[in-house]
């Protein structure tokens, strides 16, 4: 799972249902290891790393950081999905933010 952000985020999922698990701000994608193992090959599973994690590094500082900056990678993963997407989040409020209709994405996909 350490490599999920780099390898899976760029491919199109062929699975009918994808599961995207978003970690809390004090952790990393590895917190979802057991969930990924439990899902096995039944679903496409990805746990992207947020800014500040070892695999992604810190925010560039080019401008003030926003939640939309954090969401951009996950929205790309959602857009690459061909079927339904289950968005799972822990703390940080990120999953709720992605699911809100006011963020410019259709809530009916989730």
């Amino acid at each position: 799972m350490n490599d999920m952000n780099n390898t899976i985020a760029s491919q199109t999922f062929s699975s009918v249902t994808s599961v995207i698990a978003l970690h809390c701000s004090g952790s990393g994608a590895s917190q979802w290891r057991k969930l990924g193992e439990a899902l096995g090959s039944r679903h496409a599973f990805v746990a992207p790393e947020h800014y500040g994690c070892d695999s992604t590094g810190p925010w560039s500082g080019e401008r003030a950081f926003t939640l939309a900056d954090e969401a951009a990678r996950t929205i790309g993963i959602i857009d690459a999905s061909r079927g339904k997407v289950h968005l799972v989040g822990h703390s940080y409020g990120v999953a709720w933010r992605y699911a809100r209709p006011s963020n410019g994405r259709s809530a009916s996909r989730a």
Side-chain angles (χ1 to χ4, degrees):
M1 186 174 323
N2 298 337
D3 218 20
M4 287 200 150
N5 191 45
N6 299 326
T7 58
I8 297 178
S10 62
Q11 61 182 293
T12 302
F13 296 126
S14 58
S15 175
V16 175
T17 303
S18 300
V19 176
I20 303 169
L22 306 173
H23 64 82
C24 67
S25 60
S27 186
S30 63
Q31 84 174 62
W32 297 110
R33 185 175 316 284
K34 289 193 184 268
L35 175 61
E37 291 169 357
L39 291 172
S41 61
R42 293 177 292 158
H43 301 286
F45 179 77
V46 63
E49 295 275 324
H50 300 309
Y51 287 105
C53 293
D54 289 338
S55 67
T56 54
W59 173 245
S60 66
E62 62 197 49
R63 63 182 186 294
F65 177 79
T66 67
L67 201 52
D69 295 314
E70 192 79 87
R73 271 180 276 163
T74 301
I75 290 170
I77 296 168
I78 292 168
D79 288 346
S81 302
R82 293 188 174 160
K84 291 183 178 183
V85 173
H86 295 284
L87 193 58
V88 179
H90 177 243
S91 189
Y92 200 37
V94 183
W96 175 84
R97 174 68 177 156
Y98 294 130
R100 289 182 56 207
S102 64
N103 72 358
R105 298 285 179 196
S106 170
S108 62
R109 286 250 5 238

